Amino acid sequence: MPSTTRRTVLTAAAAAGITTAAAGAAHASDRRGRTPERELFGRLADGTAVHRWTLNNGGTTLKVLSYGGIVQSLETTDRRGGAANVALGFDNLDDYVARSPYFGGLIGRYGNRIADGRFTLDGATYQLPVNDGPNSLHGGDRGFDKRMWDVEPFTRGAGTGLVLTRTSPDGEAGYPGNLAVRVTYTLTPQGAWRIDYEATTDRATVVNLTSHTYFNLAGEGSGTIDGHLLELAATRYTPVGSALIPTGELAPVARTPFDFRRARSIGPQARTPHEQTVIAQGIDHNYVLDKGLTPRPEYALTVTHPESGRVMKMYTTEPGMQLYTGNFLDGTLTGTSGRLYRQGDAFCLEAQHFPDAPNQPSFPSTVLRPGRTYRTTTLHAFSTR
């Protein structure tokens, strides 16, 4: 603990008539309360144990699986202090293995779509698994969200978190290079959830890591997201063709259902008739953030749920943000609350580089070369109003 912080704790304790020893014990107790806890969540078919880690800090509780780096639960409080899980997910491992539409997954090597599952780099063409019509989506049929991760917990300063690591071997899912990946989930003292991504490679490759958490700020399983208001700092988006691959155009959001420059309800916009919403059966599009690619996380968006008072702000280093309005939830998946998830019951906001960037030179590059380190950060800040 920094000395200034320790003096603050002891001064406050003295003012309350608490002895130095008691103050130290209180601080130790607080640290224990923030220490990540591990429990067995289930076993894979080969007997591999999958653990669930629980983090608590600043009024937020985050539960993460060693399988897929999956965010299984994310609890925040409403304006009355009541807690609810605002992330969609399952209460058992089997559903994550067999049925999950990327609920809470840590996505890689490449988040979003690559056309025809193919790209060319330095004169060599690489073929990836095709798992979304003609495209490769979220790293293929067995991406990072379906791999085991090594997990190391930490309690550092006033923060608490997990470091997830794995090495994706050369040729895994068709991608070149041994990719060493390190992802850090941190809960801050203010209850914000921070994700820091790092990766290095021994051969030129492409990489685009993101998180695929499905949110409903009223609580998972509570129904439609129509009551959620989104403000998104983007004046342009990337329209898509029939296979949901960007056309290459950076189109203005003005006078379209994609315009969230001022706060608007998410659900009704996703159902507004438009050529692009018809193609995607809602919104499943990448936004070109006005801030661009930045060395430090900068403001991207705010989601507000007026009924509960919950607010989520996102800050990121990334140039793009994929908004997905749960278009393919079909009422066949039962969530942690025991309720069915239906179309439009959640939204995803995936900070990222642009879809199909390896095939579109005008988009920000996703190429990573030996000797360089891939680094991105995204922060989810929760509050109430």
Side-chain angles (χ1 to χ4, degrees):
M1 172 193 275
S3 59
T4 53
T5 304
R6 181 171 176 80
R7 282 197 299 271
T8 301
V9 170
L10 297 182
T11 300
I18 303 174
T19 66
T20 300
H27 174 68
S29 176
D30 174 68
R31 184 180 178 87
R32 285 194 298 274
R34 291 187 289 109
T35 299
E37 297 181 355
R38 189 184 79 160
E39 61 185 319
L40 182 66
F41 188 72
R43 294 186 181 275
L44 299 176
D46 64 1
T48 300
V50 173
H51 292 100
R52 179 171 65 181
W53 291 87
T54 299
L55 309 176
N56 290 285
N57 209 12
T60 300
T61 300
L62 183 68
K63 296 184 179 182
V64 177
L65 305 183
S66 55
Y67 175 79
I70 289 169
V71 173
Q72 191 256 341
S73 175
L74 175 61
E75 291 186 8
T76 68
T77 56
D78 62 19
R79 68 164 63 92
R80 298 177 181 84
N85 173 20
V86 300
L88 274 62
F90 298 117
D91 64 1
N92 66 91
L93 180 60
D94 289 347
D95 279 343
Y96 279 112
V97 172
R99 312 181 67 199
S100 180
Y102 306 101
F103 282 157
L106 175 51
I107 302 298
R109 290 190 186 192
Y110 199 95
N112 222 307
R113 296 175 174 89
I114 294 180
D116 300 319
R118 187 182 305 117
F119 68 93
T120 299
L121 178 61
D122 295 341
T125 298
Y126 298 93
Q127 181 63 55
L128 315 173
V130 171
N131 63 323
D132 178 61
N135 308 316
S136 184
L137 175 65
H138 296 328
D141 51 0
R142 193 169 175 227
F144 286 2
D145 63 298
K146 298 176 179 66
R147 304 282 182 174
M148 288 297 300
W149 290 77
D150 293 326
V151 182
E152 288 293 333
F154 67 86
T155 301
R156 189 162 50 239
T160 185
L162 304 170
V163 177
L164 297 93
T165 56
R166 76 174 298 263
T167 296
S168 175
D170 181 34
E172 183 177 78
Y175 289 89
N178 294 293
L179 189 75
V181 183
R182 176 187 176 98
V183 180
T184 304
Y185 292 164
T186 304
L187 282 188
T188 74
Q190 296 77 31
W193 171 35
R194 176 177 173 129
I195 313 175
D196 292 285
Y197 305 88
E198 296 182 12
T200 57
T201 184
D202 58 2
R203 287 180 63 193
T205 191
V206 296
V207 60
N208 188 29
L209 306 181
T210 191
S211 172
H212 205 294
T213 299
Y214 287 67
F215 293 101
N216 186 318
L217 298 187
E220 63 80 33
S222 63
T224 177
I225 56 171
D226 283 4
H228 291 66
L229 305 178
L230 171 64
E231 175 191 272
L232 180 57
T235 58
R236 297 175 297 170
Y237 77 107
T238 52
V240 297
S242 60
L244 297 179
I245 293 295
T247 63
E249 180 186 8
L250 306 184
V253 299
R255 295 181 294 280
T256 76
F258 303 94
D259 190 354
F260 291 97
R261 291 173 296 171
R262 294 185 178 181
R264 303 171 80 179
S265 180
I266 300 174
Q269 293 305 111
R271 295 192 297 272
T272 299
H274 185 277
E275 177 188 7
Q276 289 291 305
T277 56
V278 170
I279 290 173
Q281 301 181 41
I283 298 175
D284 189 5
H285 291 74
N286 170 66
Y287 283 77
V288 181
L289 295 176
D290 292 341
K291 71 174 192 63
L293 180 64
T294 51
R296 291 175 297 279
E298 293 187 12
Y299 174 77
L301 63 89
T302 301
V303 183
T304 305
H305 183 247
E307 185 176 345
S308 68
R310 289 189 180 91
V311 178
M312 182 178 75
K313 292 180 182 286
M314 286 183 67
Y315 304 79
T316 187
T317 57
E318 291 290 76
M321 184 70 68
Q322 184 85 6
L323 171 61
Y324 170 59
T325 53
N327 311 335
F328 302 111
L329 297 175
D330 60 5
T332 63
L333 301 178
T334 303
T336 50
S337 61
R339 302 185 184 97
L340 296 176
Y341 295 148
R342 305 164 302 173
Q343 186 179 51
D345 278 359
F347 60 89
C348 298
L349 288 161
E350 304 156 57
Q352 58 173 14
H353 272 54
F354 299 174
D356 199 39
N359 295 312
Q360 306 212 26
S362 64
F363 287 177
S365 175
T366 55
V367 174
L368 178 66
R369 297 188 180 278
R372 305 297 297 271
T373 300
Y374 169 97
R375 288 191 179 93
T376 76
T377 298
T378 296
L379 182 76
H380 306 73
F382 303 100
S383 61
T384 58
R385 62 173 59 158

